[in-house]
């Protein structure tokens, strides 16, 4: 089976399962009173975005993985993870800039995901050995995409303000 087809199937199933999980178990819990706690939970999942720094560790991905793309993936995710952690701490501390930092995280995260996916597809990195990082691509990235939609839903919804 073609590599891109396998990746497409796996990413589609991951997104579907995460979407259904969030639709059934998270979205019904969102109210004006719970929005910050739910945002905090969603940001906590994003705080693990320091993990792609492992791309720089020996033997983690193919030697043919483009260095410039490693840098973009690792640094973009790391920045997103730091912003998510700051926003999370501000939310849990009930500080005024919490929502602004959540917006900043969200914008940076969306740009990061779009840029990386575009470059990764153009470089056909799905054809390269990715080791454990394949799990990131086929499971964690779809989770982040679904979570990003929910974060935007909360931030944009007047019902939750």
């Amino acid at each position: 089976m073609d590599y891109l087809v396998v990746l497409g199937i796996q990413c589609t199933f991951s997104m579907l399962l995460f979407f259904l999980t969030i639709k059934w178990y998270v979205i019904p819990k969102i109210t004006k009173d719970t929005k910050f706690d739910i945002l905090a939970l969603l940001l906590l999942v994003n705080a693990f975005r320091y993990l792609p720094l492992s791309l720089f560790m020996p033997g983690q991905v193919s030697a043919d993985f483009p260095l410039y793309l490693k840098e973009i993936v690792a640094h973009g995710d790391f920045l997103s993870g730091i912003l998510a952690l700051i926003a999370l701490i501000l939310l849990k501390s009930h500080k005024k800039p919490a929502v602004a930092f959540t917006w900043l995280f969200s914008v940076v995260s969306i740009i990061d995901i779009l840029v990386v996916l575009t470059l990764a597809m153009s470089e056909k990195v799905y054809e390269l050995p990715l080791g454990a990082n394949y799990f990131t691509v086929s499971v964690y990235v779809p989770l982040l995409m679904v979570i990003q939609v929910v974060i935007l839903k909360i931030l944009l919804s007047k019902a939750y303000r």
Side-chain angles (χ1 to χ4, degrees), residues 17-153:
L17 291 170
F18 290 127
F19 169 76
L20 292 174
T21 301
I22 286 177
K23 178 182 178 186
W24 293 335
Y25 299 104
V26 176
I27 291 176
K29 305 288 186 207
I30 301 172
T31 66
K32 187 174 184 176
D33 296 328
T34 64
K35 73 173 183 175
F36 289 125
D37 288 330
I38 291 173
L39 276 175
L41 175 64
L42 300 174
L43 288 166
L44 182 61
V45 174
N46 276 274
F48 287 93
R49 289 176 71 176
Y50 62 86
L51 293 171
L53 290 171
S54 68
L55 291 171
F56 294 115
M57 299 303 293
Q60 294 302 303
V61 293
S62 169
D64 295 328
F65 197 103
L67 179 59
Y68 86 92
L69 188 52
K70 280 185 190 180
E71 303 233 350
I72 292 171
V73 170
H75 294 120
D77 271 319
F78 190 50
L79 175 59
S80 294
I82 290 169
L83 292 174
L85 183 58
I86 292 169
L88 170 62
I89 291 168
L90 291 171
L91 278 171
K92 295 307 281 179
S93 304
H94 304 286
K95 302 291 184 188
K96 285 194 182 244
V99 173
F101 259 90
T102 304
W103 269 109
L104 177 62
F105 155 76
S106 190
V107 169
V108 169
S109 177
I110 290 168
I111 291 169
D112 175 57
I113 290 169
L114 290 174
V115 167
V116 167
L117 288 178
T118 301
L119 292 174
M121 293 304 288
S122 70
E123 292 286 349
K124 297 183 180 183
V125 295
Y126 53 84
E127 293 180 351
L128 300 174
L130 299 175
N133 286 290
Y134 186 82
F135 174 80
T136 301
V137 174
S138 63
V139 178
Y140 189 53
V141 171
L143 173 61
L144 295 177
M145 293 168 70
V146 171
I147 284 175
Q148 188 58 62
V149 170
V150 177
I151 290 172
L152 286 174
K153 177 182 174 73

